[in-house]
Amino acid sequence: MHQHLSEFDVVMEQIGFGRVHLFATVTLGLLQMMAILETMGMGIIGPAAVCDLRMNLMQLTSILAAGFMGIICSSYFWGYITDKMGRRWILLRTISVSNICSVISMFMVSFSGFYVMRFMTGIFVAGPSFVAVTYLSEFCNKQIMSRAVTHLYMFTGFAMLYSPAWGTLFQAQAYMDFELVISGSLTVRPWRILGCMFTLPGLIAFFLLLRMPESPKFLFMIGETQKGMDVMDWVCRKNTGRSLNPEQVANMLKFQKKVEVKRQKNANNILLTMLNDAMPLFRKPYVWYFVSGCAVMFVMGLLANGLGIWYTSMRNRANMRIGPKEHMTLCSLLFDNIPSRMKESEEDLNIVCNDDLHSFNDSLILGATYIILYNVCWLLLFYVPRKALLVTSLVIASTCGFAIIFVSNHFIQLFSLIFLVSFPGLIISLMGGALLEFVPTYIRAKALCISLMWCRWGAAVGATVVGSSIEKHCEITLLAMAILPLFAASLESFLPL
């Protein structure tokens, strides 16, 4: 939807894209990496932890879904607090606690302890998972917002490269196969160190974020006019070398008067206040666009994250197949004449823990594909309508989903699975950018957190369904995954694109 430019957009367009935007993109991109590593990274950590924590298939499935469940449970709370306390304020606190919980989880010695700490990590990583996008958007004018958000989501690809690269070092090299007894049943093994390495992007982002100011749009919204003007002047000086001119100051004062009146007073009942604050999203003119957008986000999360979190395990199992592989579909490679590898016998557990180097090669290809697709999308956004990109991506994902059921060629199988996972991930960024443009500042964080909450619901459902049903009903499971993008495409006329 194309609305007229606000005074903020006019001033930001005059300031132009510069050092502040680049610094913010890198800083917040690292937070996007952190959110992906703490959720999708469990696709590498989980199978490697089966030996030490003696997990069966359903326990492993619940571990993979634990982070998503934590995000689901806390997303709206963080969205509400973010719209009350500020974007930067919530980021600094949630980054700190999520990193602490993540490191603690890596030294759990039981399934229950590991699950609880992964769930707690998800609760706090929910903040960076959506606030980073909101924060970046409020330093951008409407003309560049969608492309800036696409670049931010490109760090998803860097995370998908980062995790298998470290996995190759810690889990696929014979010289890294160590076991150091700390106390009792607590032993330090490579997967525990690898999990700690996944916190590095968040730690770096925390220190970079200390150099960033609060969102200028948020400051104007809460009536902090002088602080908002100081931030805008800081952005102008960093990008252009000079301060705001009188005309730009006057425009920002006009903008402040418009957005401040949107702010609602607190009620005594916080739950009632949280509910009332979200109600505008479920009334005209937003309701149909927003509900349809949430439905699409659910499907995309199911494919990109729910199926995607099993990608490394599936490719690892296919590559470990011994004997002739010609004329075998993916389901045949994974399950034909192969006993379950999640049974409780020690021999089977050892097989699960031995991640082959080939699986990480395929994961590196997935990460590289993400980066290429995000850059291609960024370029196409200059020339192609966003709705056309969304529908085309959905059709390609669905086609690849149908192909993977029948094809036997190794490379077609590999890239069909990659595109079935990566194109939905690309659509999540397109939908995120559309929602940010579609809703006003005072409900922007809540709108994004609710839509991404449905995305995480899809991820949790997808991870659970794939883990529990693909072995016995492989073709049917993949057929359902192939049909879902067509359902999402049928909603395109209701989307805010």
Side-chain angles (χ1 to χ4, degrees):
M1 297 184 65
H2 300 285
Q3 303 171 355
H4 70 279
L5 298 181
S6 68
E7 292 83 0
F8 178 88
D9 293 321
V10 172
V11 173
M12 271 297 182
E13 186 177 19
Q14 292 170 350
I15 293 173
F17 189 91
R19 292 170 57 190
V20 170
H21 298 92
L22 290 173
F23 186 81
T25 300
V26 171
T27 301
L28 302 172
L30 288 170
L31 292 183
Q32 178 67 14
M33 284 184 66
M34 169 190 170
I36 294 298
L37 291 170
E38 296 294 358
T39 51
M40 300 296 289
M42 287 299 104
I44 291 177
I45 298 294
V50 168
C51 280
D52 289 342
L53 305 182
R54 300 200 58 83
M55 294 185 289
N56 57 37
L57 177 57
M58 290 311 299
Q59 288 174 326
L60 174 59
T61 300
S62 63
I63 288 295
L64 299 186
F68 296 121
M69 294 303 297
I71 292 174
I72 292 166
C73 291
S74 62
S75 284
Y76 186 67
F77 172 76
W78 295 128
Y80 172 81
I81 296 297
T82 299
D83 279 339
K84 298 296 182 184
M85 303 299 297
R87 287 49 165 139
R88 181 177 177 271
W89 187 93
I90 205 70
L91 282 174
L92 289 172
R93 285 152 181 81
T94 52
I95 294 168
S96 304
V97 181
S98 65
N99 274 346
I100 293 170
C101 290
S102 182
V103 171
I104 292 174
S105 73
M106 289 302 117
F107 294 94
M108 293 293 103
V109 296
S110 66
F111 161 75
S112 57
F114 192 47
Y115 179 86
V116 169
M117 291 313 302
R118 292 314 306 171
F119 180 79
M120 292 297 297
T121 302
I123 285 178
F124 289 98
V125 87
S129 72
F130 75 88
V131 179
V133 184
T134 306
Y135 188 43
L136 177 63
S137 73
E138 293 176 357
F139 282 91
C140 301
N141 60 57
K142 190 171 295 185
Q143 298 93 316
I144 68 168
M145 186 187 296
S146 60
R147 293 190 289 273
V149 170
T150 300
H151 260 139
L152 174 64
Y153 275 103
M154 184 179 67
F155 281 80
T156 298
F158 292 134
M160 301 298 275
L161 283 174
Y162 181 95
S163 55
W166 282 110
T168 301
L169 175 63
F170 280 96
Q171 291 181 229
Q173 304 296 333
Y175 61 81
M176 290 296 289
D177 187 15
F178 60 84
E179 184 172 354
L180 178 63
V181 178
I182 300 297
S183 174
S185 57
L186 175 59
T187 60
V188 175
R189 297 193 67 242
W191 68 267
R192 298 186 188 273
I193 306 299
L194 176 60
C196 293
M197 297 301 295
F198 285 176
T199 65
L200 278 181
L203 183 63
I204 296 171
F206 175 84
F207 290 104
L208 293 179
L209 194 61
L210 294 175
R211 299 172 59 87
M212 291 283 294
E214 182 54 84
S215 156
K217 275 192 173 181
F218 173 78
L219 292 171
F220 284 122
M221 183 189 76
I222 64 173
E224 295 282 0
T225 307
Q226 187 55 51
K227 290 183 179 179
M229 295 298 294
D230 290 343
V231 173
M232 290 297 295
D233 192 64
W234 176 82
V235 173
C236 189
R237 284 186 284 106
K238 290 291 184 182
N239 280 12
T240 67
R242 59 180 183 273
S243 298
L244 293 172
N245 60 44
E247 181 184 355
Q248 291 170 331
V249 171
N251 275 330
M252 293 313 303
L253 290 174
K254 291 179 183 178
F255 175 76
Q256 192 274 333
K257 291 179 181 178
K258 290 181 180 179
V259 295
E260 186 184 7
V261 298
K262 302 282 187 180
R263 186 138 173 100
Q264 297 180 357
K265 294 182 180 180
N266 291 327
N268 294 328
N269 189 325
I270 187 171
L271 294 178
L272 183 62
T273 303
M274 291 172 67
L275 181 64
N276 289 336
D277 281 1
M279 280 299 102
L281 295 170
F282 299 96
R283 300 191 186 106
K284 293 182 179 180
Y286 307 116
V287 56
W288 293 115
Y289 294 108
F290 185 67
V291 171
S292 299
C294 288
V296 172
M297 291 291 254
F298 177 87
V299 173
M300 296 304 100
L302 191 151
L303 294 169
N305 299 327
L307 176 62
I309 203 167
W310 288 101
Y311 171 85
T312 298
S313 294
M314 292 171 68
R315 294 308 308 165
N316 180 55
R317 191 164 186 168
N319 289 324
M320 286 172 63
R321 174 91 185 194
I322 298 173
K325 303 179 183 179
E326 294 80 9
H327 310 298
M328 296 186 72
T329 64
L330 179 64
C331 289
S332 298
L333 279 173
L334 292 176
F335 305 116
D336 278 8
N337 301 316
I338 299 179
S340 174
R341 285 177 174 155
M342 293 295 180
K343 293 180 179 177
E344 292 294 340
S345 68
E346 190 64 28
E347 179 182 357
D348 287 330
L349 285 172
N350 284 334
I351 293 174
V352 174
C353 289
N354 286 331
D355 283 311
D356 194 287
L357 178 61
H358 293 296
S359 67
F360 293 120
N361 286 342
D362 291 347
S363 296
L364 290 167
I365 294 172
L366 174 63
T369 301
Y370 263 110
I371 294 173
I372 292 170
L373 285 177
Y374 280 119
N375 278 286
V376 170
C377 179
W378 176 79
L379 287 172
L380 290 176
L381 282 171
F382 285 98
Y383 310 105
V384 181
R386 191 160 42 197
K387 185 174 290 189
L389 283 176
L390 181 138
V391 174
T392 302
S393 299
L394 288 170
V395 171
I396 293 173
S398 182
T399 303
C400 291
F402 286 114
I404 203 173
I405 301 172
F406 306 105
V407 298
S408 57
N409 180 275
H410 170 78
F411 290 104
I412 297 179
Q413 278 183 7
L414 173 62
F415 281 98
S416 292
L417 184 57
I418 285 175
F419 290 146
L420 180 59
V421 169
S422 58
F423 272 102
L426 181 67
I427 292 168
I428 291 172
S429 72
L430 291 173
M431 289 299 302
L435 281 170
L436 290 170
E437 292 181 14
F438 176 64
V439 298
T441 302
Y442 75 105
I443 54 173
R444 180 168 290 162
K446 287 186 281 288
L448 191 60
C449 83
I450 292 173
S451 66
L452 287 176
M453 182 173 69
W454 280 101
C455 180
R456 307 312 180 195
W457 261 119
V461 170
T464 304
V465 168
V466 172
S468 61
S469 66
I470 195 168
E471 184 167 0
K472 294 182 179 179
H473 309 288
C474 182
E475 287 84 0
I476 294 176
T477 302
L478 292 177
L479 178 63
M481 299 289 175
I483 293 173
L484 285 172
L486 297 179
F487 165 74
S490 69
L491 298 174
E492 58 85 17
S493 61
F494 298 100
L495 299 178
L497 297 171

